[in-house]
Structures are given as structure tokens and as C-alpha cells.
Amino acid sequence: MNYFMQTAIDEARHGMDHNHGGPFGAVIVKDGEIISRAHNEVLRTNDPTAHAEILAIRQASELLDRFDLSDCEIYTTSEPCPMCLAAIYWARIRTVYFGSGKEDVARIGFDDSRFYEIIRSGNGSELSRINIEKEKCLELLKRWEKKPDKQMY
Ligand SMILES: [Zn+2]
């Protein structure tokens, strides 16, 4: 049994047993050591973004005091949802180990596969996307471009 995945499973069980959230856990590993571990806490915190991967990334970033986790790997008990996948990309993590697949997760009612489909197709969503005040908002981007002390990430 993979020790890192076992730890992620233990996290998921702990969260599930305490009604913190769904049956999901994640750990982040750097240089062969676990630097953060988390479980889904959507129910406990009423935070819809409190997925295990997101919480593990936040902890790891805080611990390392940087937003670039490109030297880290993430182990997650289920295939990351689109939000977590995007967060993993933003964190520049290069390897994701996952256990159950998104089809397995959909089978127990966590149907994020429809989010994958919406993102892929660009339609079929109940979300209204309305573009307003573009010029005013573009001014922010221009200001950023000219900012002499900006730090890219
Ligand atoms: Zn997620």
C-alpha cells in the first residue's frame, strides 16, 4: 500500500466520520515527505471550495511561504474536480496521483463530471455569463502591465 495514498485515505475517513464533508482526502509531498494533509470540509465550513486538494495546497503554500509548488506532488483519493485541477495547475504541481476516478465519484452522487462537460463544451450551463464594463475592467490590466514592482506568478 502506498503510504502517501494511505494517509490521504485516513484523512478522508476522518473527515467523513466527523461529518466534515465528502469522502475525499489529499496530501502534498515534497522530497519524499508529507508537508500537508487535508480532507473535504465543505459541510463543516459551508465553504463550497473546501475540497481536500484546495485545503492541502493552501497549507503547503503557507508552510513553504510560496505559491509555486512545482517541486511537490499531490496524492488525492479521487480524481480532482475541475476546480481542484485548475488549482493544481496554478500551483504548478506536476504530478497528481489519484485513486478513484471521476466516474466512481459520479456514481455516489458527486457529479462533477457535468462541470467537466460544461467547461469542455462552453455551453449547457445554467450559469449566465454576462460581459459588462469591459473597458473599465481592462484599465486594471493596463495598470498591472505598467506596475513597475509587479510579481508574476
Ligand atoms: Zn475538487
Side-chain angles (χ1 to χ4, degrees):
M1 177 74 206
N2 180 286
Y3 170 70
F4 302 130
M5 188 58 87
Q6 181 62 63
T7 306
I9 290 170
D10 291 345
E11 272 293 320
R13 284 190 171 180
H14 175 83
M16 187 172 20
D17 291 349
H18 292 80
N19 296 318
H20 289 177
F24 311 109
V27 302
I28 290 180
V29 174
K30 179 178 178 296
D31 301 326
E33 283 185 31
I34 293 173
I35 60 167
S36 71
R37 49 190 290 171
H39 55 263
N40 184 292
E41 298 197 42
V42 170
L43 298 178
R44 188 183 74 76
T45 62
N46 285 321
D47 176 355
T49 69
H51 289 193
E53 299 95 319
I54 299 281
L55 299 179
I57 286 170
R58 286 179 183 160
Q59 281 177 35
S61 299
E62 190 172 346
L63 181 84
L64 298 176
D65 197 26
R66 54 181 158 88
F67 47 77
D68 184 326
L69 303 180
S70 56
D71 54 352
C72 299
E73 297 178 323
I74 189 164
Y75 289 74
T76 179
T77 57
S78 291
E79 194 170 0
C81 76
M83 173 182 72
C84 292
L85 202 53
I88 288 164
Y89 278 117
W90 275 114
R92 311 297 188 225
I93 294 170
R94 296 198 179 102
T95 307
V96 179
Y97 297 91
F98 65 94
S100 56
K102 56 181 183 283
E103 305 79 13
D104 304 309
V105 173
R107 208 169 295 127
I108 62 160
F110 293 96
D111 197 7
D112 49 349
S113 59
R114 67 193 180 100
F115 298 146
Y116 279 100
E117 185 51 41
I118 288 165
I119 290 164
R120 189 166 35 244
S121 67
N123 57 42
S125 167
E126 56 274 17
L127 176 70
S128 300
R129 294 171 19 127
I130 302 162
N131 192 193
I132 62 164
E133 304 291 358
K134 184 172 183 174
E135 287 306 317
K136 286 288 178 197
C137 295
L138 279 172
E139 284 173 18
L140 291 170
L141 307 188
K142 288 175 190 151
R143 191 181 165 98
W144 171 263
E145 275 193 307
K146 291 181 189 147
K147 185 174 160 60
D149 61 341
K150 68 175 176 258
Q151 184 188 4
M152 284 310 297
Y153 55 91

